[in-house]
Amino acid sequence: MIGFVLIAAVLIGFSMYNQPSEEQIQQQREQFVKDSLAAVKKKNEAKLAQEKQQKAEEAAKTDSSALFHEALTGAAKDVVLKNDKLELTLSTKGGAVKKAVIKGYTGHHAGAPDSKDLTLFDGDDQSLNFMLSAKEANIVTKDLFFTPSQQSDSTVTLTAQAGEGKSLVMNYRLGKDYMLHMSLQANGMSGLFAPNTSQMDIDWQARCRQQERGFTFENRYATLTYKEKDAGTDYLSETSEKRDEKIEEALDWVAFKDQFFSSIMIAKNDFASNSLMTSVPQEKGSGYLKDFEAKMKTFFDPTGKTPSEFEFYFGPNDFQVLQSVEQESTFGKDLALQKLVYLGWPIVRWINRFFTIYVFDWLTKLGIPMGIVLILITLLLKVITFPLVKKSYMSSAKMRVLKPRLNEATKQYDKPEDAMQKQQAMMQEYAKYGVSPMAGCLPMLIQMPIWIAMFNFVPNAIQLRGQSFLWIDDLSTYDPIVEWSTNIWGIGDHLSLTCILFCVSNVLYSIMTMRQQKDQMVGQQAEQMKMMQWMMYLMPVMFFFMFNDYSSGLNFYYFISLFFSAAIMWTLRKTTDDEKLLAILDARYKENKNNPKKMSGLAARLQAMQEQQAEMQRKREELERKRKGLGK
């Protein structure tokens, strides 16, 4: 009770102490009135400015002497350009592409039924606006109505009249596949611009559609990507929100990219430095992955002698297609559009670039089902790496058959403090038998880039999109056996069967390899192995949470790869004669007993480090004994 009373007293006393005086209250009232009046005044001024702007725009539309007075009114019409692979719809209002349909790819936009062709964007999903700063007014192309002429299936000229002898002209030409060529030119308008005018502003916006089943997985590959002039490519974060991110370097092109398709804008005279890029992730279920925007500047000649030229790519993220389309460019640049297909870090990229892609394309052209293609690629990789795998296995087998001999030779070092001496004795014994304990590690490490290469290649392989195999409907996305509406952290809203198969096979393969390694471990190594095996068992569990959203094609590849690896290990184990191998090692031991061969490579460095550590330990113990002797 006393405590409550004291607390109440403190609170009441503090509130009374901080209560403002009558003078302070009056000042607060006056300040509130001033702020309110200022806010009302500011609101009225903004309203008047808006009304003034609207009146000016209306006057411009009715004033026959105003710039583009004829082009500010009209009715929007559609102009269609098409070939065997692409159909583009341009609007006469704004003169930009408002719809892109990619032929030959099944469209299954979220919330819409599947369609024969894929709609990359439509209507308000994408907009492109060119802005020119004239002396008396800004010219904004999205507000202008263009008149089409010289129209065919692949070409059209769009003209916006600015007055007598003055016009803004856009010329479009669709290539044989996915490349659209475009130029913008001002005719008879040089006097309307300041003498130093040499650039125009571009505002390009797009809502990136969800085109695939797996929102989370597809969203990882949806990025605003750009290529710096005379340099490499870069992109905004695929996970975090970025608004008006300044890019200080000049750019060759900008791409709005999703997992399998891209819209790319290329400038002949570069996009100037300090472009502003925006990428805003969208919510799952919205039907969209991200909102993109690029605010850029590029070359503009107000005299009309030299047009501003652009090229657009609306098509698939196919490595070979992007390479071939680049050859159609008339700008003479090294565009490196194929960088939109991410193939991994340098070593991994070389594997995919010069091996995986060519083998994959060759097998695909044979008309083989994609699931079989993945199996054949796995078999081919296993054949290539078999010599390394066999070498690794034989090194393990040698250590396994030597384990009793090593235990006997090092039994005098069973005390914990003799661990270093025991390790050195083991290395010496290995040298006498001509066995390197490190020989089995390097070949296995060499195989890791192949696993990583496939990790980067399969999710980006558009050839897998929509391809079924066995129970899998689409190898490019997950294959759910169970789905639910609520999102569970770490799992999502489904269970992928190929992911479960991969993780289970990983556990079984880990058990097999751990048993094999356990048979060859001696002394302290065996104790360390007990701790390591739990990590090996937990890893497949971690893989489940990582790969449940990944494509079934990738999980299927890993499952098949582990199956073949287990089959190879089982075959090698059954075909290895331990007695014969031990006899060979014993013969080598007799040869090297009196003149042991020195180890080389990593094993030699490891032995040297152990000897150095032992020498340091001996010196520390000697100093400790001397210190204790002086203390006494």
Side-chain angles (χ1 to χ4, degrees):
M1 292 295 293
I2 293 173
F4 281 118
V5 170
L6 290 174
I7 291 172
V10 169
L11 292 175
I12 294 171
F14 184 76
S15 62
M16 293 178 64
Y17 176 77
N18 284 280
Q19 186 174 3
S21 62
E22 288 295 330
E23 183 179 353
Q24 290 175 326
I25 292 174
Q26 183 62 29
Q27 290 177 352
Q28 291 176 358
R29 288 174 179 170
E30 292 175 356
Q31 186 62 39
F32 176 76
V33 171
K34 288 180 181 179
D35 292 343
S36 300
L37 291 173
V40 172
K41 183 179 179 181
K42 186 176 181 180
K43 185 177 180 181
N44 289 335
E45 288 176 351
K47 185 177 181 180
L48 289 172
Q50 185 178 3
E51 291 176 352
K52 185 178 179 180
Q53 178 67 21
Q54 290 176 349
K55 289 179 180 179
E57 291 177 357
E58 291 174 359
K61 292 179 180 180
T62 56
D63 186 0
S64 60
S65 63
L67 189 64
F68 287 106
H69 69 278
E70 294 180 2
L72 288 172
T73 57
K77 298 179 181 179
D78 291 342
V79 175
V80 178
L81 304 179
K82 59 185 178 179
N83 56 27
D84 293 337
K85 298 181 179 180
L86 188 65
E87 181 176 307
L88 301 175
T89 302
L90 289 75
S91 176
T92 56
K93 183 179 182 183
V97 179
K98 74 170 191 178
K99 182 178 181 181
V101 177
I102 303 174
K103 300 178 181 180
Y105 292 93
T106 303
H108 34 258
H109 177 48
D114 286 358
S115 57
K116 180 182 177 182
D117 300 317
L118 182 138
T119 300
L120 188 60
F121 58 86
D122 188 11
D124 296 333
D125 286 352
Q126 188 164 150
S127 65
L128 177 61
N129 186 27
F130 297 94
M131 293 163 284
L132 310 172
S133 297
K135 292 178 181 177
E136 298 181 359
N138 291 331
I139 301 171
V140 182
T141 58
K142 72 175 183 179
D143 296 332
L144 302 180
F145 289 88
F146 291 79
T147 302
S149 62
Q150 302 178 20
Q151 184 177 351
S152 68
D153 284 346
S154 59
T155 61
V156 67
T157 297
L158 300 177
T159 305
Q161 295 295 335
E164 186 176 355
K166 300 179 179 66
S167 63
L168 194 64
V169 180
M170 294 181 179
N171 284 298
Y172 284 97
R173 178 176 62 84
L174 180 61
K176 62 181 181 180
D177 38 42
Y178 304 104
M179 186 76 85
L180 175 68
H181 306 267
M182 179 257 190
S183 66
L184 185 149
Q185 189 171 16
N187 294 326
M189 298 172 59
S190 58
L192 302 177
F193 297 92
N196 61 346
T197 300
S198 62
Q199 287 185 330
M200 63 178 169
D201 291 283
I202 300 173
D203 186 9
W204 188 27
Q205 300 181 35
R207 301 197 71 195
C208 183
R209 286 187 170 196
Q210 179 186 344
Q211 302 282 7
E212 315 304 328
R213 171 190 280 169
F215 173 86
T216 305
F217 186 65
E218 185 183 5
N219 209 16
R220 291 191 185 104
Y221 297 91
T223 58
L224 190 157
T225 306
Y226 52 88
K227 181 185 179 297
E228 299 171 2
K229 182 181 179 182
D230 301 324
T233 59
D234 204 349
Y235 59 91
L236 300 188
S237 171
E238 64 269 41
T239 55
S240 59
E241 179 178 312
K242 298 291 183 181
R243 291 186 182 272
D244 290 338
E245 187 87 1
K246 183 181 287 188
I247 311 300
E248 296 180 354
E249 297 80 6
L251 306 176
D252 285 328
W253 51 259
V254 177
F256 297 158
K257 170 187 176 295
D258 62 31
Q259 185 178 2
F260 292 122
F261 303 94
S262 290
S263 300
I264 309 172
M265 185 176 185
I266 308 163
K268 180 178 182 178
N269 297 99
D270 314 325
F271 296 114
S273 56
N274 298 322
S275 297
L276 300 178
M277 305 293 174
T278 296
S279 175
V280 181
Q282 300 301 294
E283 294 293 330
K284 184 176 182 179
S286 66
Y288 294 90
L289 304 171
K290 291 182 176 71
D291 282 353
F292 294 136
E293 183 176 12
K295 299 176 183 176
M296 305 166 288
K297 293 180 181 292
T298 192
F299 166 81
F300 172 68
D301 180 10
T303 67
K305 294 179 180 179
T306 306
S308 300
E309 294 186 59
F310 305 92
E311 291 174 336
F312 297 86
Y313 175 87
F314 304 107
N317 298 330
D318 185 305
F319 191 92
Q320 304 285 23
V321 170
L322 287 167
Q323 273 195 322
S324 63
V325 166
E326 185 173 330
Q327 297 174 2
E328 295 182 30
S329 174
T330 60
F331 295 166
K333 292 184 174 184
D334 181 14
L335 297 176
L337 295 176
Q338 69 274 9
K339 291 289 185 69
L340 286 170
V341 183
Y342 183 69
L343 298 177
W345 293 349
I347 295 178
V348 173
R349 183 168 63 245
W350 296 335
I351 294 173
N352 283 327
R353 172 69 180 82
F354 299 107
F355 173 78
T356 311
I357 288 177
Y358 288 104
V359 173
F360 192 83
D361 287 346
W362 177 68
L363 292 173
T364 302
K365 289 176 182 177
L366 296 177
I368 302 172
M370 286 299 165
I372 302 297
V373 169
L374 290 174
I375 294 174
L376 292 176
I377 287 179
T378 308
L379 277 172
L380 180 59
L381 291 172
K382 292 301 178 184
V383 170
I384 293 172
T385 58
F386 179 75
L388 299 175
V389 173
K390 185 177 180 180
K391 184 177 180 180
S392 175
Y393 174 81
M394 292 308 298
S395 176
S396 300
K398 291 174 184 178
M399 295 173 69
R400 183 182 69 248
V401 299
L402 287 175
K403 181 178 179 180
R405 306 286 175 88
L406 291 172
N407 284 331
E408 182 66 23
T410 60
K411 64 181 179 181
Q412 66 269 33
Y413 303 113
D414 286 340
K415 295 180 181 179
E417 59 269 22
D418 296 334
M420 189 67 68
Q421 291 90 330
K422 185 169 186 175
Q423 191 70 19
Q424 290 178 358
M426 288 172 55
M427 298 297 285
Q428 292 171 1
E429 289 297 308
Y430 281 136
K432 293 176 183 178
Y433 283 103
V435 175
S436 173
M438 308 304 296
C441 298
L442 187 59
M444 297 304 294
L445 290 176
I446 292 174
Q447 295 184 80
M448 289 302 296
I450 295 176
W451 272 62
I452 300 172
M454 295 303 291
F455 176 82
N456 286 288
F457 174 77
V458 173
N460 289 293
I462 193 172
Q463 294 86 346
L464 296 177
R465 186 178 185 271
Q467 297 296 313
S468 60
F469 183 69
L470 300 177
W471 69 89
I472 305 170
D473 293 330
D474 187 346
L475 285 164
S476 69
T477 187
Y478 59 82
D479 56 321
I481 53 171
V482 180
E483 290 185 278
W484 52 88
S485 57
T486 305
N487 190 66
I488 300 176
W489 182 86
I491 298 178
D493 56 5
H494 65 276
L495 290 177
S496 175
L497 179 56
T498 51
C499 179
I500 294 172
L501 290 175
F502 161 48
C503 293
V504 171
S505 62
N506 204 344
V507 171
L508 297 176
Y509 184 71
S510 297
I511 294 173
M512 176 186 292
T513 54
M514 294 299 288
R515 285 180 178 176
Q516 177 179 311
Q517 293 176 9
K518 185 179 179 180
D519 292 340
Q520 69 189 42
M521 296 299 176
V522 180
Q524 190 178 9
Q525 292 178 338
E527 294 298 323
Q528 294 173 348
M529 200 65 188
K530 292 179 181 179
M531 298 176 60
M532 192 174 182
Q533 67 182 359
W534 289 109
M535 295 176 62
M536 297 296 291
Y537 296 150
L538 285 173
M539 193 174 295
V541 178
M542 296 171 59
F543 281 160
F544 171 76
F545 292 105
M546 291 172 57
F547 286 86
N548 191 44
D549 266 329
Y550 272 65
S551 68
S552 54
L554 182 63
N555 284 317
F556 181 72
Y557 163 76
Y558 282 151
F559 166 66
I560 294 298
S561 180
L562 285 169
F563 174 81
F564 286 134
S565 295
I568 291 171
M569 296 298 288
W570 182 85
T571 304
L572 289 172
R573 183 70 178 89
K574 290 297 182 180
T575 55
T576 301
D577 189 335
D578 289 358
E579 293 182 0
K580 185 177 180 180
L581 181 61
L582 184 59
I584 294 172
L585 294 174
D586 283 338
R588 191 178 299 169
Y589 180 84
K590 291 177 182 179
E591 293 176 5
N592 299 332
K593 187 174 183 180
N594 298 324
N595 185 25
K597 294 181 180 179
K598 292 184 178 180
M599 288 189 175
S600 61
L602 184 58
R605 290 193 291 271
L606 181 61
Q607 184 178 14
M609 289 173 59
Q610 291 174 347
E611 292 174 355
Q612 186 178 10
Q613 290 175 356
E615 180 63 20
M616 292 175 63
Q617 180 66 24
R618 186 187 63 78
K619 289 181 178 180
R620 283 196 295 268
E621 292 175 354
E622 185 178 345
L623 288 172
E624 184 66 19
R625 286 195 298 270
K626 288 181 180 180
R627 186 184 64 80
K628 290 181 179 179
L630 290 174
K632 293 180 179 179

